[in-house]
Amino acid sequence: MLTERQALILKVIIDEFIETAQPIGSRNIAKREDVAYSPATIRNDMADLEDDGFLSKTHSSSGRIPSEKGYRFYVDHMMSPLQLSNDEVRLVQSQFDDRMIEMEKVMQNSAHILSELTQYTTLVLGPEVYETKLKQLQIVPINKQSAIAILVTDTGHVEHRSFAVPSEIDHSDLEKVVNILNEKLVGVPIIYLDRMIESEVIDLINRYTSNFQKSYDLIQKALFNHQTTSLYVSGKSNILMQPEFNDIEKARSLFNVMESEDQIAPILKTNQEGLKISIGHENEMEVMNNCTLITATYTLGENQIGTIALLGPTRMEYAKAVSLLDLWSNHMSQSLYRWFND
Amino acid sequence: MLTERQALILKVIIDEFIETAQPIGSRNIAKREDVAYSPATIRNDMADLEDDGFLSKTHSSSGRIPSEKGYRFYVDHMMSPLQLSNDEVRLVQSQFDDRMIEMEKVMQNSAHILSELTQYTTLVLGPEVYETKLKQLQIVPINKQSAIAILVTDTGHVEHRSFAVPSEIDHSDLEKVVNILNEKLVGVPIIYLDRMIESEVIDLINRYTSNFQKSYDLIQKALFNHQTTSLYVSGKSNILMQPEFNDIEKARSLFNVMESEDQIAPILKTNQEGLKISIGHENEMEVMNNCTLITATYTLGENQIGTIALLGPTRMEYAKAVSLLDLWSNHMSQSLYRWFND
DNA sequence: AATTAGCACTCGTTGAAGGTGAGTGCTAAC
DNA sequence: GTTAGCACTCACCTTCAACGAGTGCTAATT
């Protein structure tokens, strides 16, 4: 479809535009060493590329900028994976050493490091709680009126809530109920806890005193009654550094979306395996129409358990972003496998 | 020092400027019902107020804007505490019901609600860990190679870290060590844990097998080896909504500071009791020279344990910000007292 | 037939010039 | 002590012209 020369010109324009954020003119392209054609020739090809929708102009006599179709072609057919620097690779590897590790920290850290390395905003969506299984329940009394309930899952996720303890309930009551719950529920997937309690535990508890029931109610409220989608966002303010957000209104509306977990989480969830790149209007959300979102999934064993994503302007350093995200998600999946599979 | 009329004019200018962010002219002041003087009279007083440093101009024929000295005078002498709306008061109260409660959630929630109510950025600095005492240690094995160590304090703070377990160490070893630690260390202030271990526990552990020592090392690394300053920031992007940050460069530099816990925490720490208002250049940090920071401390019993602050432009709704922060910190202190003192 | 040189044309950007209006300071009158 | 009147200032807006980076088209060159 594209001649070799057209492809070269498209690539040069995209590469330059990614770097400078300025429209690219034919004369500047001709100056490059790897381009051996005159400005006029280049102009002809540019006109063709524009006709075919790969380029556009900001006004009738301006240089060209890539269109979304241009980026799409670039990403699908011409992008050479960037050789990451040794420093970068080493930094990524060092994040996954064998020392202390737990889900929250991994995700937080991932968001942080990737946003540092790319200067884009990083979004990490953690494992759905219901994919994981109960490892242990624990009650820690704080004082006469309050206690903390702690739930640990087999992925090392720790949930905790404190709650008020009515005076008629003794800590030993709580403890006994927790023992019963642990006995019956350890190993049960979090999502089935409710059903399991219904069928296996309720009867057992009802056999005992009313305090047991009350204790159970407390624990139930504290631990089983809330959904957790764990979303970590880092480098939100990097978006401000991009010239496409010099218009402060655009920055404001994008920030508003990123502040809202409800709006972000679904975008990250609807996701096939591997890397996915959504350019400009391929993003459903209107405020992201001048952004690119690259998502990668990570796995625990065979299960996809979460998503990690980079959000930047459509003028994104695709090669670098893709390479990094790929490297990271692979390392992460491998490490999770090592840590959480016996 | 100021005549009554001058004070009135100063107050009107500040009130109007807080609302509109525009320089205020004499004619507009004269139009107000509560001002019975002609523009010329007002102009004379404005000139005097400018001579005394309470007002300034953006250019020679512009209206007046408050100077930092003007705000300072306003805050110290003329600000009438705002009657908060019933909705607001009720909302604040409802946040401190007696149900499930724990430090992290309180702080997170405080930051969130206050930034919603004020539209400024809210910063909450949590209790220094070393002010609190150990309530319980716990180890939860995840699988053969990893376990999670959980530390609970008497303020309901929960720290947890997972760590790799070498093959030669059995979970029963870990458990025994934790038992010893709990026996000796419960009730000890977190800051003294190290010393206490040195003097009381090490000997005890050394009497047992080398696996005990290794187990202890693991736990030590996981739990006792990191400082926690818990800083919660909410509504950072609110700063973007303020017209004084239409200049995106200013917004960028302020964001950079707010992203860095190291730079923010000290500002919140150096703090006397009660409310403190730092206007413009009273803030040491240069990027905050056009901001006002209002900090309030909250207590647990007699001890100040943390700080809660609002950051906005110098043109801040002082009356509302102060009233809300005051109301909130009082409620918070009272609730903490109820929850964490027997 | 493909490439390139030449040239007229487009249009955003910059800066100067002039008009407008909200504001001031000063003086003189009330 | 207060106010009316008036000249003055200056940010802001609009208009206009010059500039230049870029284009498209045509004709010449390879």
Side-chain angles (χ1 to χ4, degrees):
Chain A
M1 178 117 154
L2 293 189
T3 68
E4 208 168 308
R5 193 176 59 206
Q6 283 173 335
L8 171 67
I9 291 171
L10 179 57
K11 184 166 186 319
V12 167
I13 290 177
I14 293 181
D15 284 339
E16 295 267 331
F17 187 73
I18 284 175
E19 199 176 325
T20 65
Q22 296 296 323
I24 317 297
S26 53
R27 248 179 77 81
N28 283 312
I29 298 177
K31 274 185 207 148
R32 286 178 53 124
E33 294 174 357
D34 53 347
V35 178
Y37 308 96
S38 75
T41 310
I42 293 168
R43 273 204 295 283
N44 289 333
D45 279 341
M46 283 162 90
D48 292 346
L49 285 167
E50 189 180 354
D51 288 344
D52 292 342
F54 295 102
L55 296 177
S56 68
K57 292 193 270 197
T58 59
H59 59 87
S60 75
S61 70
S62 77
R64 299 307 204 291
I65 60 173
S67 67
E68 289 174 15
K69 184 175 174 188
Y71 284 125
R72 172 51 62 195
F73 189 85
Y74 176 83
V75 163
D76 289 344
H77 301 115
M78 3 202 327
M79 190 173 59
S80 42
L82 182 80
Q83 190 57 47
L84 296 170
S85 79
N86 282 342
D87 279 358
E88 287 167 330
V89 174
R90 230 175 294 125
L91 179 59
V92 171
Q93 284 169 344
S94 72
Q95 297 304 311
F96 294 101
D97 61 16
D98 267 337
R99 269 172 271 147
M100 296 166 265
I101 195 65
E102 78 206 66
M103 269 293 174
E104 276 85 355
K105 291 281 145 53
V106 173
M107 295 191 294
Q108 224 168 318
N109 194 238
S110 299
H112 182 69
I113 303 276
L114 282 175
S115 71
E116 290 281 306
L117 283 175
T118 59
Q119 297 295 329
Y120 301 124
T121 303
T122 307
L123 309 151
V124 182
L125 189 65
E128 305 268 354
V129 171
Y130 57 74
E131 304 259 356
T132 63
K133 293 172 190 158
L134 179 66
K135 198 78 199 184
Q136 187 158 350
L137 288 175
Q138 209 95 54
I139 299 283
V140 178
I142 297 296
N143 54 35
K144 279 173 201 140
Q145 309 130 48
S146 57
I148 292 194
I150 301 174
L151 176 157
V152 185
T153 74
D154 63 344
T155 54
H157 177 79
V158 178
E159 285 284 321
H160 54 99
R161 285 282 181 294
S162 64
F163 56 95
V165 182
S167 56
E168 72 266 26
I169 292 189
D170 197 77
H171 277 310
S172 66
D173 294 334
L174 283 172
E175 211 170 297
K176 282 170 202 155
V177 171
V178 168
N179 285 342
I180 293 174
L181 290 174
N182 269 326
E183 208 171 292
K184 292 288 174 189
L185 299 178
V186 165
V188 172
I190 303 294
I191 194 177
Y192 296 136
L193 278 182
D194 283 342
R195 273 172 253 178
M196 202 66 185
I197 286 168
E198 202 68 46
S199 67
E200 301 276 318
V201 183
I202 288 273
D203 288 350
L204 208 57
I205 286 180
N206 285 345
R207 279 189 229 151
Y208 296 88
T209 69
S210 71
N211 274 359
F212 268 44
Q213 282 186 48
K214 277 187 197 149
S215 304
Y216 164 73
D217 283 349
L218 285 173
I219 295 168
Q220 208 270 340
K221 261 188 204 152
L223 283 182
F224 303 141
N225 232 356
H226 57 92
Q227 77 295 34
T228 329
T229 46
S230 42
L231 177 68
Y232 294 84
V233 183
S234 181
K236 258 187 292 191
S237 65
N238 286 347
I239 221 78
L240 286 180
M241 310 299 161
Q242 302 295 343
E244 18 278 278
F245 290 92
N246 276 346
D247 175 2
I248 201 147
E249 276 310 319
K250 281 189 192 147
R252 280 175 186 157
S253 50
L254 193 54
F255 263 82
N256 279 337
V257 170
M258 286 195 298
E259 304 260 295
S260 144
E261 202 164 304
D262 298 343
Q263 294 189 69
I264 290 294
I267 299 176
L268 300 181
K269 267 180 199 165
T270 58
N271 226 326
Q272 79 251 38
E273 206 175 333
L275 253 75
K276 181 181 165 188
I277 304 183
S278 303
I279 300 168
H281 288 75
E282 294 170 11
N283 291 297
E284 284 179 20
M285 207 167 288
E286 201 185 323
V287 290
M288 291 196 186
N289 281 176
N290 62 343
C291 293
T292 284
L293 183 75
I294 309 186
T295 56
T297 52
Y298 56 89
T299 57
L300 178 53
E302 311 218 315
N303 303 320
Q304 264 181 51
I305 58 168
T307 309
I308 182 160
L310 291 174
L311 180 67
T314 46
R315 184 186 59 81
M316 195 186 241
E317 279 191 74
Y318 288 94
K320 182 171 181 189
V322 166
S323 305
L324 256 177
L325 211 49
D326 197 48
L327 180 68
W328 190 277
S329 58
N330 285 335
H331 268 279
M332 188 160 164
S333 297
Q334 280 168 34
S335 296
L336 292 179
Y337 184 77
R338 255 186 290 130
W339 291 323
F340 295 117
N341 276 319
D342 287 339
Chain B
M1 177 117 155
L2 294 190
T3 67
E4 209 168 306
R5 193 176 59 208
Q6 283 174 336
L8 172 66
I9 290 171
L10 179 57
K11 184 166 187 316
V12 167
I13 289 176
I14 293 180
D15 284 338
E16 295 267 331
F17 186 73
I18 284 175
E19 199 176 324
T20 65
Q22 296 297 322
I24 317 296
S26 53
R27 249 178 76 81
N28 283 313
I29 298 177
K31 275 185 207 145
R32 285 176 54 121
E33 293 174 357
D34 53 345
V35 178
Y37 309 97
S38 75
T41 310
I42 293 168
R43 274 205 293 283
N44 289 333
D45 278 342
M46 283 162 89
D48 291 346
L49 284 167
E50 188 179 356
D51 288 345
D52 292 344
F54 294 103
L55 296 177
S56 68
K57 291 192 272 198
T58 58
H59 59 87
S60 74
S61 70
S62 77
R64 299 307 205 292
I65 61 174
S67 68
E68 288 176 15
K69 185 175 173 187
Y71 284 125
R72 172 51 64 196
F73 189 84
Y74 176 84
V75 162
D76 289 344
H77 301 115
M78 357 200 334
M79 191 173 57
S80 42
L82 182 80
Q83 190 57 46
L84 296 169
S85 79
N86 282 342
D87 279 358
E88 287 168 330
V89 174
R90 229 175 293 126
L91 179 59
V92 171
Q93 284 168 344
S94 72
Q95 297 303 312
F96 293 102
D97 61 16
D98 268 336
R99 271 173 270 146
M100 297 165 263
I101 194 66
E102 79 207 65
M103 269 295 176
E104 276 85 356
K105 291 281 147 54
V106 173
M107 295 191 294
Q108 223 167 317
N109 194 236
S110 298
H112 182 68
I113 302 277
L114 282 175
S115 71
E116 288 281 306
L117 283 175
T118 61
Q119 297 295 329
Y120 300 125
T121 303
T122 306
L123 309 150
V124 181
L125 189 64
E128 305 269 356
V129 171
Y130 57 74
E131 304 259 358
T132 62
K133 293 172 190 160
L134 178 67
K135 198 79 200 184
Q136 187 159 349
L137 289 175
Q138 208 96 57
I139 300 282
V140 178
I142 296 295
N143 54 35
K144 279 173 199 143
Q145 311 130 48
S146 57
I148 292 195
I150 300 173
L151 176 157
V152 185
T153 74
D154 64 343
T155 54
H157 177 78
V158 178
E159 286 282 323
H160 55 100
R161 284 281 180 294
S162 64
F163 57 95
V165 182
S167 56
E168 72 267 26
I169 290 188
D170 197 77
H171 276 309
S172 66
D173 294 333
L174 284 171
E175 212 171 297
K176 282 170 200 155
V177 172
V178 168
N179 285 342
I180 293 174
L181 289 173
N182 269 325
E183 208 172 292
K184 291 289 174 192
L185 297 178
V186 165
V188 171
I190 303 294
I191 193 175
Y192 295 135
L193 278 182
D194 282 342
R195 272 173 254 178
M196 202 66 184
I197 287 168
E198 202 67 47
S199 66
E200 301 274 320
V201 183
I202 288 274
D203 288 349
L204 207 57
I205 286 180
N206 285 345
R207 277 189 232 151
Y208 296 87
T209 68
S210 73
N211 274 358
F212 269 44
Q213 280 184 50
K214 277 186 197 149
S215 304
Y216 165 73
D217 282 349
L218 284 173
I219 295 169
Q220 209 269 340
K221 261 188 203 151
L223 283 181
F224 304 141
N225 231 358
H226 57 93
Q227 77 293 34
T228 328
T229 47
S230 43
L231 176 67
Y232 294 84
V233 183
S234 181
K236 257 189 291 194
S237 64
N238 286 348
I239 220 79
L240 286 179
M241 311 297 160
Q242 302 295 343
E244 19 279 278
F245 290 92
N246 276 346
D247 175 3
I248 202 146
E249 275 311 321
K250 280 188 192 148
R252 281 175 185 157
S253 50
L254 193 56
F255 263 84
N256 279 337
V257 170
M258 286 195 298
E259 303 261 294
S260 144
E261 204 163 302
D262 298 344
Q263 294 189 69
I264 290 294
I267 299 175
L268 300 182
K269 266 182 197 161
T270 58
N271 226 326
Q272 78 250 36
E273 204 175 335
L275 254 76
K276 182 180 165 190
I277 304 182
S278 303
I279 300 168
H281 288 75
E282 294 170 12
N283 290 299
E284 284 177 22
M285 206 166 290
E286 201 184 324
V287 290
M288 291 197 188
N289 281 177
N290 62 344
C291 294
T292 284
L293 183 75
I294 310 186
T295 57
T297 53
Y298 56 89
T299 57
L300 178 54
E302 310 217 316
N303 304 321
Q304 264 181 53
I305 57 169
T307 308
I308 181 161
L310 291 174
L311 179 69
T314 46
R315 183 186 61 81
M316 194 185 241
E317 278 190 77
Y318 288 96
K320 182 172 179 186
V322 166
S323 305
L324 256 178
L325 211 49
D326 197 48
L327 179 68
W328 190 278
S329 59
N330 285 335
H331 268 280
M332 188 160 163
S333 297
Q334 281 168 32
S335 296
L336 292 179
Y337 184 77
R338 255 185 291 132
W339 291 322
F340 296 118
N341 275 319
D342 287 338

